[in-house]
Amino acid sequence: MSASLPSQEPFVLAVPSRGRLSDGTLELLRRAGLHAPRQPRSLLADVNAHWRLLFVRARDVPEYVATGTADAGITGLDCVEESGHASELAVLLKLGFGRCRLSVAVPRLKGISSVEALRGKRVATAFPRLTERFFEAQGVAVEMVPLTGSTEVAPHVGAADAVVDLVETGSTLRQHGLVELATVLESEAVLVARAGPRALRLNDKAQRLEELRLALQSVLDAQARRYLMVNVPRAKLDEAKKLLPGVTAPTVLDLLGRADWVALHAVVDEKELNGLLPALKRLGAQGLLVLPIERMIS
Ligand code: AMP
C-alpha cells in the first residue's frame, strides 16, 4: 500500500496471532498490499515505516483498539460484541470470512424445543455478555455457567442444560448430540476502529484508516468478480451486450482484419459465469478468456 502520507508514528493494526481468523486476515492484508514478514513468536511486524501489525488473540483485539494501543483491528464480530467495548468501537467493514453463528443448543433427546423451556436452567458459555443479553431480551431468566472453552461437553457431564457456542457447519454440535434452538448472533471477521469522541479524526491516521478500509473493500469487491474477454460475431453484438452488463457497460473493440467480429470485455459476477459462458457460446462466441481481478473500485 502507498506510504504517501507523512507521519511520525506507524498506523497499528491489531490482528489475530493464531487460530481460525489468522490465515484469512493475513491473506486479505497481503492482497491489499500489506505484507508483513513475521518472525515466529514476535508480537509486532512492520510492513513499512507507516504500517505495523500487532499480533494478539482474536478476543483481545477489541481491548487493544478500544484502549488505543492499536489504531484499528481485525477480529470476529462475536469478539467485538462480547468484549464490553462494543459501544466504543465502530465496525467499518465486514470481511466475508470467519463466518459462524453464536447459537443456543440443547441435548437432542432432552425434549427441550424452545428458548422459553430453558427458564431457570443452566446455560454454559464462553460468551456470558451476549448470552445474558439474549436471554434478557427473551424475558427468560437462566443460570449462567461461564466457561472458557469446550462448552459442548458441559451438558454431557451434567454441568449445564444448554450451551451458547459458536457454530460453523453444525457438525461439532451434532457429534456431541446437540441441536440448535436459536441464533444469538451472526458473525464474521470485521475491521473495527474506535467510535465516538475517541475516533481517529482529521489527522493522517484517520486518512490511513480510510485508505485501509478502501483497500480491503477493493479486494473484497474484486474477489467476487472476473474479467471476461470474448470474441463475438458483429451480427450478434446486441444480443451479447445484453448478456454482459459490466460495471458500466462492456467495452467493445475491433479485431484487426476481421470486420465481421468484435471483442467484448466486461466485469462479471463470478457466480454468474457458469450460466454466461454457454449462453455466449450459443451466440457463436469464440476465444473466451476469464481472468481474476486484483482490486476493484466501483
Ligand atoms: P480462535 O479462538 O482464535 O480460533 O478464533 C475464534 C474466532 O473464529 C471466533 O471468535 C469466531 O469469530 C471465528 N470462528 C469462525 N468459525 C468458528 C467456529 N466454528 N468455531 C469457533 N470460532 C469460529
Side-chain angles (χ1 to χ4, degrees), residues 39 61 67 83 119 166 190 192 232:
Q39 305 302 323
V61 166
T67 54
S83 71
R119 192 179 298 279
L166 290 173
V190 292
V192 284
V232 294

Side-chain angles (χ1 to χ4, degrees), residues 7 19 80 83 131 159 163 194 217 253 258:
S7 171
V80 176
S83 71
T131 301
V163 301
R194 283 183 298 286
Q217 178 78 67
L253 302 163
R258 294 297 306 268

Side-chain angles (χ1 to χ4, degrees), residues 18-21 57-58 76 78-79 98-100 166-168 187:
R18 57 196 161 92
R20 290 170 196 259
L21 300 179
R57 297 287 302 266
D78 54 304
C79 299
R99 285 207 171 99
C100 57
L166 290 173
V167 183
E168 195 179 347
S187 183

Side-chain angles (χ1 to χ4, degrees), residues 193-212:
R194 283 183 298 286
R198 298 189 58 237
L200 298 171
R201 262 183 245 280
L202 295 179
N203 60 20
D204 56 8
K205 282 201 173 173
Q207 289 185 47
R208 232 175 241 136
L209 179 60
E210 181 53 14
E211 191 184 323
L212 174 66

